[in-house]
Structure formats: C-alpha cells, structure tokens
Amino acid sequence: MLSVTKFWVWLSTVCEPEAAWRVYRHFGSPETAYFADADDYQAVEGLSAQQIARLEDKSAAFHRVEQILADCDRLGAHISTWQDADYPERLRNIYTPPMVLYFLGKPLRLEEECAVAMAGSRRCSAYGRSMAEKFSHDLTQQGALVVTGMASGCDEAALIGAMRAGGPVAALLPGGVDVPFEDSAYYRQLYRDVASLGTLISTYPPGTDNDHAHFRFRNPVLTGLSVITLCIEAPARSGVLQVAACAQEQQRTVYTIPANLTSASAAGTNALLCGGLALPVLSAEDLLLPYRESYVRLNPIPSAAPNPKTPPKPAAPAPEKREAPSTPEAAKTAAPRAEVPPVAEKKVDSGENSDYIDLRKSRSTFTDDEQAVLLALQSGEKSAEELTAETGVPSSRILAALTLLTLRGHVEELSGARFKTGLRVK
C-alpha cells in the first residue's frame, strides 16, 4: 500500500506546480488522482496532452517516486507535504504554494522565526557584497533567521555572514538539496557548512539540476517563507526585482539598502526606493525594530546601538486563504531615519606590514576556530588534516573555518589542498 507521502511526491513530480494544483482541486486528494483513469484526467481543465500522458504513466512515475524516497533516506533529507503538521504555515497563504518541500540539515521551526529573505545580484559590487555579509551577520546575531539562495555574489556573502555569527541560516535552492549551484569543491563544502549550521530547502527532489527556469517558482517561496524581504543590490534588469514583486504580491514589506546613484549594479534597487516600492534601511537594528514585539526570539537591541526613529508599520502578511492575494498599494514615502554612519569592515594587516594582529582584540572579526587556524598557519603552509592534528579542532570545523577565511581573503588555498596565510597574528 502506498503511503500518503508517496502520493504527494508523485503529483508534485508529474506536473508543474500550477497544473498539479488543478489536478488536486479536481480530485480532492493526490490519492484519488493517482487511481483515476485516462477519461478522468481529460476532464481536468487546463491540462495539456503531455501532462495527461505523464499522469497516465503510473509505472514510470512510481519508479521515480521510489528513487526519490531512497535518495532522501540516503541523504538524511526530510520531506514535508502540504498535509503535514510541519509544513510552513506562511506558505499556505501564497498563490501557488509548493506541494512538497525537501529539507537537509537542522530542523527549524520557521513559524517561530523572524525570517528575513535576502536577495541580491550575483555580479554585485564590493559594496553590495560587504553589505550582504554585514546585514546577514548582524541579523543572525540579533536572533533573526536569514533565508537566501546559494548563488555567488550577495547570496554567498549572506550565507557567510550568517555562519560567522554562528547561524542558523536557511538556503532555498532552485535544484535538489544535494546538487551544488556551482559544481566545485568550494560549493560542495559550502553546502555541507550550511547544512551543519542550518538547513537547505528545495521544492525539487534530490538529484534535480539547478535550472534558471526554476527561479520563477522559487522566488515566491523565498518571500513566502519570510516576514521581511531585504533586497541588497541589483542592476536595472535582475531577478532580484522579481523577488521584490513577489513580496509585494504577498503583502510583505520590502526593504533595500541605499547605494551610490551612479552605480549600475544598484540601479534596480535604487529604482525601488525612488518608486516607493521599498523602504530604506541603514542597519539590522533599524530593520528589526517593527517586529520585536511579535517575535520573542529576537535578542534585545545592543545598548551601544543608535536609537533609530520608529519606521512605518510594515504591512502584515496576507490573510490566511488559498486564493491569490491582491497586490497591495506600494508605500509612497518612508519615515525619516536617524543618520547612522556606515560601519566600515574591519581591515586586517597583511604579511607585508610589520605589526602583528592581536587576536585577543579581534574576536568580532575571527571566531575561535578561525583564530586557531591562523595561529597554526604562522609556521607555514599546512593541510586541513595537519591543522586538525595541531589545533585539536574537529575536521568539520577546520574545513568550515578554512572556507570562510579563504572567502574573506585571509587564507590562500595552494595546490595539493594545502593552505597558507599572509596575516601575521599573535
């Protein structure tokens, strides 16, 4: 006897999301749809001949479902279907919610989190990358959950920022949870690091390639999982603007970070501000202020932080219903904000400088594991195995520290999987 989960996986894989929901509404359940015959499928409004053929081919579909379940079991991935109690309640309110979600990593109670969807360009500027990492770090440190993608650029920087703060973090993928966005040793390690500190999420089963066409359905899921959408940086033509449009349709407030008006890489996000489609934000404290009363998991505002003026009350999430919410009117003006000087990223001395960096005074820059790695590399290049033996830090944490230090330019990977640093530390 087929389990209920198998029916949901079957329906979600034989039809595109919109068609799958038409089948569901017609039959009332995926079980009934599975046992229907060809004439019954012909009666479903809006199905193409190709979709009907896939519904009828039960043998091939059943084999595919069995493979998906076996892959999830092998990976340790969790399946959540529309009918399950752990299905994210926020997603039930979007226009075309995913029937099935695949999770790999730590379980997260998304409904209890002040989740912030962060989106930005892959070809971002140095400013955009630094802002993505800084905001993600600060949001995570204050108890928010960053939800982003796994592409290079702003997504990658946001993941690094959240992991620097100790996590957790959630990454929503346009492919399977086991298929890196870019096929490289670095991205495979990044996937493992994210899964160890948070969770990888996909609407597609394991083994699914990352397809650009998948972003059309991924973007509303990204904003639907979150209560806040923060667009970091995007040019005039960018998928980030589609993310903003999805958030507006779902009645989520959209924020963005002001940028240089002459910067082509920020022309799209600057246009959101100019058109009143997004509110400006200057800091993580500024962003989270309107949500603190609703989410007890958020940490108190740091005493050293400036006290920004209360921003306009954000739009509430769409009322719970299965039909598409109407697009809200975009905010035309934003309340004035306190002037907060930009926080410059702490610069560390290179090996060319004569002074050493005192790691005891740099705990906001380097984690304990990163400090251990940097100290061990003072005597020369080493492999990850040698660093594990010398520092006593578990290999998984050594690899995570090496990944972050390499991304930030403090460590260089050499041939033969060996590492060196140009920093002089004590």
Side-chain angles (χ1 to χ4, degrees), residues 131-383:
M131 288 297 99
E133 182 173 345
K134 173 178 172 47
F135 269 77
S136 183
H137 175 276
D138 294 351
L139 288 167
T140 304
Q141 201 169 54
Q142 293 193 41
L145 174 68
V146 170
V147 185
T148 188
M150 286 289 286
S152 57
C154 285
D155 285 358
E156 177 189 335
L159 292 173
I160 292 169
M163 290 191 291
R164 278 187 58 210
V169 65
L172 183 64
L173 315 173
V177 293
D178 59 335
V179 182
F181 193 82
E182 295 182 17
D183 189 16
S184 66
Y186 164 70
Y187 265 90
R188 287 190 289 272
Q189 183 61 49
L190 185 61
Y191 268 56
R192 289 191 289 269
D193 292 343
V194 171
S196 69
L197 286 175
T199 189
L200 301 166
I201 309 172
S202 181
T203 62
Y204 298 95
T208 304
D209 289 334
N210 294 285
D211 191 324
H212 184 76
H214 293 169
F215 281 95
R216 184 178 73 87
F217 187 57
R218 191 218 66 155
N219 289 343
V221 176
L222 176 69
T223 55
L225 283 169
S226 309
V227 293
I228 306 168
T229 296
L230 176 61
C231 296
I232 301 294
E233 181 182 70
R237 295 172 60 87
S238 171
V240 177
L241 305 183
Q242 297 173 4
V243 172
C246 291
Q248 291 158 3
E249 289 178 359
Q250 296 164 0
Q251 297 184 323
R252 267 69 165 173
T253 303
V254 179
Y255 296 86
T256 192
I257 300 169
N260 193 325
L261 293 180
T262 63
S263 172
S265 60
T269 40
N270 281 339
L272 290 176
L273 286 175
C274 189
L277 301 176
L279 300 177
V281 64
L282 303 178
S283 68
E285 294 87 354
D286 199 15
L287 180 66
L288 295 178
L289 186 61
Y291 303 89
R292 290 189 175 278
E293 292 183 3
S294 302
Y295 294 94
V296 296
R297 289 176 178 264
L298 292 177
N299 300 325
I301 300 176
S303 58
N307 183 22
K309 296 180 180 179
T310 303
K313 185 176 178 61
E320 185 170 338
K321 58 181 180 179
R322 306 295 170 85
E323 297 299 324
S326 58
T327 303
E329 287 189 11
K332 296 301 181 183
T333 57
R337 305 281 178 152
E339 285 295 330
V340 182
V343 180
E345 185 175 348
K346 181 182 178 71
K347 294 184 178 180
V348 296
D349 296 337
S350 69
E352 299 175 354
N353 295 332
S354 58
D355 294 336
Y356 281 83
I357 298 170
D358 188 346
L359 290 179
R360 293 171 299 177
K361 300 178 181 179
S362 303
R363 294 194 177 277
S364 63
T365 303
F366 301 106
T367 66
D368 291 343
D369 290 349
E370 291 169 349
Q371 292 185 43
V373 168
L374 290 172
L375 284 169
L377 290 176
Q378 295 303 295
S379 59
E381 63 184 58
K382 292 180 174 65
S383 67

Side-chain angles (χ1 to χ4, degrees), residues 8-27:
W8 284 102
V9 173
W10 164 76
L11 184 53
S12 69
T13 54
V14 294
C15 290
E16 295 76 16
E18 294 88 347
W21 280 111
R22 284 197 292 270
V23 172
Y24 175 85
R25 286 192 294 268
H26 182 87
F27 292 103

